[in-house]
Amino acid sequence: MRKFPINMHLNVDSFLPASDAEKEYMVQMRPSTTFFRDGVKRLLKNKIATISFIMIIIITLACILIPLFWPYKYDKQLGISLGKPVDPTYANLRPFEYGETEQAKIAAGETVFPHIFGTDSAGRDYFIRVVYGTRISLLVGFFASLIVLVIGMTVGSIAGYCGGKVDIVIMRIVDIIYSLPDMLMVILLSAALNNSGLDKLIQGTVLEKIGLNILSLFIVFGLLYWVSMSRLIRGQILSLREQEYVLAARACGAKPGRIIKKHLMPNCIGVVIISTALQIPSAIFTESYLSFLGLGVNAPMPSLGSLASDALNGIHSYSYRLIIPAVVISLIVLSLNLFGDGLRDAFDPKLNK
Amino acid sequence: MNNNENTPLLEVKNLKQYFDINVGVFKSKPLKAVDDVSFYINKKETLGLVGESGCGKTTVGRTILNLYKPTAGEIWYNGKQIKTKADINEFRKKATMVFQDPYSSLNPRMTVADIIGEPLDVHNLYSTKEERRERILELMDYVGLNSEHASRYAHEFSGGQRQRIGIARALAVNPEFIVCDEPVSALDVSIQAQVINMFDELQDKLGLTYLFIAHNLLVVRHISDRIAVMYLGKIVELADAEEIYSRPLHPYSKALMSAVPVPDPQVARANKRIMLSGDIPSPLNAPSGCPFRTRCPHATEQCAMETPEFKEISKGHFVACHNIDKIN
């Protein structure tokens, strides 16, 4: 066909029926994404959150793995060995310094594992103590948040779903607990637990090693700190239960337990993950300053707080002993907070708008 | 089971649903959402329920399915009163509901297969996973969804498709009776037609009975065998669909029917629209006597004194009005 510049005739070739391949091309089928995968994708785009997450992984792995191969024990006083007088040269070593017998070994050509952070006043390797301290801090953080999560979620969802009088009663209890000073509760509880004979009960278990003080910390978390979590979840459930899909589930005869589990919980899981992630650093922080005040783990088990507290005695000569655990606490708390923020942005995009 | 054809499938007697509304700090006042409503629905029939927003249509539907506990009144299904918890549970295997908003009535965290399969899970209607899957695919086929949609989430579908998912869920337990709560009002017009026709087809194929709640008069006329008109928590008129369109007796129905758009401009110009003055009163302070008297052009003193009786004027045509003879 000849082409004119101003041609009103339509080109017939444009109107041929589409081939199967062309039709296939028009069907846009995107692979189905789930809520979780969507969130992870957004999280990975957030550089700060990703770096924080890697930080947390490294710290966690380090405090699990390092004690397995480290040649020194956290409670081994290097200057003391059976049948010999105490060797004072092992106390208060500076980083990469060696005790007398070790220097002799090096002179004889043997290799001795260095004391990276030196030793403390009792002659214990400081690096492994910091690692153990981190271990305790993380353990407290995760378990305390877990306790808070379980109790808060159960109570909050019951209050939110049942509503009415149940809700009023539970929320008044929450208000009362909210008004109790938590620090006072920890101190009172650890005093009460120490006199309760509970220490005999936990003899020989793992709990004995971390001590009654930490146990009372857990109990306080279980008793007091769930309230903000339960308030948060109650609020979520209150708004979610008015949704029509909940009514639809009730219309087909679903029981309250099923509705909470299948319909309400999955829809507020984003908020739950985020507030749990933000709960961990606050628990670590609480543990640290309690240990600093002497209400934390039992000696010789170290925690970051108690290490910092011990370091106060030699703050002028050995200031690095205070700085190291302080830096580790800051690092853990900071990266958990940033990661929690990243989680919130990734899983709760509504908050950003 | 009563197989007598004359027994209605569902009968509602003097149903009342009051909600307590707090006015002031310690005072509460009943909001009469549904006030003394009686009707019946025969097998394989569609009863349309129309009325203004806020007149209690949806509440009627939800109260029938016991989503709200009725304040008073009886619900009879197949000649048996629904009263105890066991009755309600049994009733829910036979009566289901399609919801108005296809966006909020599907859980965003569940796949289509799980949404449709939920009634099956709740009532334990399968023995193997395979059986459940087959039933779900069969249901999806009924409502015109592809089997590859089963693993997708509700937000990946359009409004019409979502409503089909909602309908498939309602069909899952093999119900006899479905309450359709404005199932098409959230859809656009071309999709409305598809969904309405699907309701019709499913009724023929599965022998369903519908209570069809809507405010679109043309849609109701198309699908219903009989129509009930509600005003302020009461049914004011109930008759065959054609009868109520050609010969409405209650002044409110007259005004309502005159508002139905006619697709012929000449006829439309000839028809005179009856304009009602004022707004629908709040159900919190419903007028005494006849609820419609504040807006009725024919209201008399009697209307303020007594509540009109809901009586049969001709066969199958019920009206609640004192002055029915004078007006017509």
Side-chain angles (χ1 to χ4, degrees):
Chain A
M1 205 158 72
R2 256 172 60 207
K3 279 224 167 169
F4 293 102
I6 308 164
N7 190 352
M8 298 302 280
H9 289 287
L10 296 167
N11 189 356
V12 185
D13 296 339
S14 314
F15 292 89
L16 292 176
S19 68
D20 282 345
E22 279 169 319
K23 278 181 196 163
E24 190 70 32
Y25 175 72
M26 292 304 290
V27 179
Q28 301 270 333
M29 287 286 250
R30 197 160 58 91
S32 175
T33 70
T34 63
F35 165 74
F36 185 72
R37 257 185 270 161
D38 250 17
V40 170
K41 214 167 91 189
R42 273 197 294 270
L43 187 65
L44 289 179
K45 268 190 199 157
N46 185 341
K47 279 203 193 91
I48 295 173
T50 317
I51 292 167
S52 311
F53 184 60
I54 293 169
M55 249 352 259
I56 296 164
I57 298 267
I58 289 172
I59 293 173
T60 313
L61 283 180
C63 68
I64 292 170
L65 297 176
I66 287 177
L68 296 180
F69 64 82
W70 205 254
Y72 307 111
K73 290 272 168 298
Y74 72 92
D75 54 352
K76 172 80 179 139
Q77 287 168 287
L78 296 170
I80 299 175
S81 42
L82 266 176
K84 283 180 196 165
V86 176
D87 183 353
T89 56
Y90 277 98
N92 296 326
L93 288 179
R94 294 198 170 270
F96 295 102
E97 278 183 356
Y98 298 96
E100 224 164 57
T101 46
E102 283 174 339
Q103 280 170 346
K105 271 186 190 172
I106 293 166
E110 283 179 66
T111 50
V112 172
F113 206 86
H115 306 292
I116 296 173
F117 293 160
T119 58
D120 66 3
S121 54
R124 293 172 293 203
D125 186 70
Y126 202 64
F127 181 78
I128 197 70
R129 286 185 68 75
V130 172
V131 170
Y132 264 89
T134 315
R135 208 183 218 195
I136 292 292
S137 290
L138 283 178
L139 208 71
V140 170
F142 282 111
F143 274 100
S145 314
L146 205 68
I147 294 170
V148 167
L149 175 70
V150 171
I151 298 176
M153 206 150 100
T154 320
V155 175
S157 55
I158 290 171
Y161 185 77
C162 297
K165 289 201 178 91
V166 178
D167 184 34
I168 290 173
V169 170
I170 291 178
M171 280 305 118
R172 287 305 79 76
I173 293 172
V174 164
D175 286 343
I176 291 166
I177 292 175
Y178 229 47
S179 63
L180 295 175
D182 42 357
M183 212 24 56
L184 192 67
M185 289 296 287
V186 178
I187 294 165
L188 286 178
L189 250 173
S190 53
L193 281 178
N194 275 327
N195 295 327
S196 67
L198 199 73
D199 44 347
K200 286 191 192 86
L201 210 74
I202 60 166
Q203 240 163 31
T205 59
V206 194
L207 292 173
E208 196 197 1
K209 262 192 179 171
I210 46 177
L212 275 176
N213 286 332
I214 291 294
L215 203 65
S216 75
L217 190 66
F218 281 148
I219 293 172
V220 166
F221 265 97
L223 284 177
L224 302 180
Y225 281 72
W226 56 271
V227 287
S228 52
M229 176 71 91
S230 75
R231 267 192 178 170
L232 185 83
I233 290 174
R234 168 183 170 267
Q236 288 280 319
I237 299 265
L238 269 183
S239 70
L240 286 173
R241 73 172 183 160
E242 299 301 323
Q243 296 281 326
E244 249 180 6
Y245 56 81
V246 176
L247 200 68
R250 275 176 50 209
C252 76
K255 301 222 159 45
R258 186 191 161 83
I259 292 175
I260 291 178
K261 218 167 66 196
K262 289 266 172 180
H263 295 276
L264 299 177
M265 276 295 133
N267 279 294
C268 59
I269 202 76
V271 181
V272 172
I273 292 174
I274 294 151
S275 55
T276 308
L278 292 174
Q279 183 76 55
I280 296 172
S282 95
I284 290 176
F285 214 71
T286 311
E287 188 277 331
S288 296
Y289 71 74
L290 280 175
S291 293
F292 188 84
L293 294 176
L295 291 165
V297 288
N298 289 357
M301 180 63 88
S303 92
L304 293 174
S306 67
L307 288 176
S309 167
D310 292 344
L312 274 182
N313 297 329
I315 190 160
H316 294 296
S317 327
Y318 311 105
S319 50
Y320 60 90
R321 274 195 218 151
L322 179 60
I323 293 167
I324 292 167
V327 166
V328 176
I329 293 174
S330 317
L331 212 61
I332 295 173
V333 172
L334 182 70
S335 47
L336 276 168
N337 269 326
L338 289 176
F339 179 61
D341 276 349
L343 269 182
R344 187 183 50 211
D345 294 346
F347 284 88
D348 212 350
K350 271 177 261 168
L351 276 178
N352 276 342
K353 282 171 196 165
Chain B
M1 267 286 269
N2 196 334
N3 283 325
N4 190 349
E5 277 299 310
N6 295 328
T7 328
L9 183 72
L10 181 97
E11 199 170 0
V12 174
K13 291 178 182 166
N14 306 95
L15 188 71
K16 286 179 186 170
Q17 178 69 59
Y18 297 169
F19 296 110
D20 280 333
I21 299 294
N22 289 329
V23 288
V25 186
F26 296 111
K27 266 190 284 180
S28 73
K29 216 173 168 184
L31 184 149
K32 299 181 178 181
V34 176
D35 196 9
D36 206 353
V37 159
S38 306
F39 60 87
Y40 61 88
I41 307 175
N42 292 322
K43 272 190 187 121
K44 299 182 188 177
E45 184 193 49
T46 303
L47 178 73
L49 193 57
V50 293
E52 278 170 83
S53 359
C55 72
K57 308 181 295 271
T58 300
T59 311
V60 169
R62 289 182 179 176
T63 309
I64 287 174
L65 290 185
N66 258 291
L67 289 175
Y68 304 136
K69 203 176 165 353
T71 312
E74 296 170 2
I75 297 158
W76 291 70
Y77 186 78
N78 244 332
K80 198 167 164 275
Q81 192 180 356
I82 310 293
K83 236 178 158 178
T84 62
K85 272 206 156 153
D87 289 341
I88 293 170
N89 206 25
E90 202 53 37
F91 180 51
R92 281 182 176 158
K93 287 187 197 171
K94 292 178 188 137
T96 56
M97 189 160 183
V98 175
F99 289 85
Q100 173 177 12
D101 183 359
Y103 292 89
S104 66
S105 65
L106 305 176
N107 188 338
R109 297 271 185 278
M110 278 166 100
T111 62
V112 170
D114 284 336
I115 291 171
I116 297 174
E118 176 157 45
L120 303 175
D121 298 339
V122 169
H123 296 295
N124 279 323
L125 291 178
Y126 56 88
S127 44
T128 61
K129 283 249 179 262
E130 194 48 41
E131 205 180 315
R132 177 178 185 263
R133 221 184 84 83
E134 269 170 30
R135 175 75 182 138
I136 288 167
L137 292 182
E138 183 192 15
L139 286 163
M140 291 178 69
D141 186 48
Y142 272 150
V143 296
L145 290 168
N146 289 334
S147 54
E148 63 254 34
H149 289 155
S151 58
R152 288 173 172 262
Y153 288 83
H155 65 85
E156 298 172 52
F157 294 91
S158 66
Q161 281 175 313
R162 281 161 161 253
Q163 198 55 289
R164 285 165 196 265
I165 297 168
I167 294 165
R169 170 174 61 190
L171 292 173
V173 290
N174 259 327
E176 297 165 341
F177 173 65
I178 299 181
V179 175
C180 309
D181 183 7
E182 308 205 22
V184 295
S185 54
L187 308 175
D188 56 43
V189 180
S190 57
I191 309 293
Q192 279 189 10
Q194 285 177 16
V195 173
I196 288 287
N197 288 336
M198 197 174 77
F199 272 115
D200 258 349
E201 280 164 29
L202 289 170
Q203 186 166 38
D204 291 342
K205 203 151 84 184
L206 305 171
L208 298 170
T209 305
Y210 294 138
L211 172 65
F212 200 93
I213 300 165
H215 55 238
N216 184 332
L217 296 166
L218 289 171
V219 166
V220 177
R221 182 184 189 176
H222 176 79
I223 197 160
S224 306
D225 300 306
R226 291 187 305 135
I227 289 177
V229 179
M230 268 188 95
Y231 183 80
L232 219 60
K234 283 188 160 70
I235 293 185
V236 294
E237 187 164 6
L238 196 163
D240 280 350
E242 282 317 310
E243 169 105 356
I244 210 163
Y245 272 90
S246 54
R247 212 167 64 85
L249 293 179
H250 194 279
Y252 179 64
S253 321
K254 279 180 197 256
L256 200 64
M257 296 313 156
S258 78
V260 176
V262 187
D264 181 343
Q266 274 176 355
V267 180
R269 229 169 275 139
N271 281 355
K272 245 179 103 188
R273 173 103 194 261
I274 304 169
M275 298 300 283
L276 289 176
S277 57
D279 281 326
I280 186 163
S282 157
L284 263 178
N285 318 302
S288 63
C290 175
F292 187 55
R293 70 175 167 84
T294 50
R295 299 169 75 190
C296 182
H298 312 283
T300 59
E301 262 172 45
Q302 190 196 8
C303 297
M305 315 279 274
E306 308 166 28
T307 311
E309 206 186 323
F310 190 56
K311 53 182 184 268
E312 198 163 6
I313 298 292
S314 56
K315 196 182 175 312
H317 196 148
F318 296 83
V319 184
C321 185
H322 288 302
N323 307 321
I324 206 77
D325 303 320
K326 252 187 271 170
I327 298 167
N328 296 291

